[in-house]
Amino acid sequence: MTTIAPPALKTLSACVFVTGLVGAAIGIYGLDVEVAVLWLIVASVSGLYLLKLRAESHGRLERPARSRRTTA
């Protein structure tokens, strides 16, 4: 499996984010609700991924350890 370097992932995600915003603007301008909502979802998901990449690069993303409970 091929891995993509983090700067390339960040650039690709930023391009998808901007494309989502532009697509949403076009959908709003054309009064097409489905298109606007679709592109807003794309922009939102890519924005969340950008935030995840940022947190990982700053070392702030830690997953809490799961506590194992035994059932009696």
Side-chain angles (χ1 to χ4, degrees), residues 23-63:
I26 291 171
I28 291 169
Y29 179 75
L31 298 176
D32 193 357
V33 174
E34 292 87 3
V35 172
V37 169
L38 172 76
W39 286 110
L40 284 172
I41 291 170
V42 169
S44 298
V45 170
S46 62
L48 289 172
Y49 189 71
L50 281 169
L51 287 173
K52 177 184 173 266
L53 288 175
R54 181 174 183 239
E56 285 177 348
S57 70
H58 289 288
R60 296 182 190 163
L61 188 62
E62 296 178 13
R63 296 178 188 239

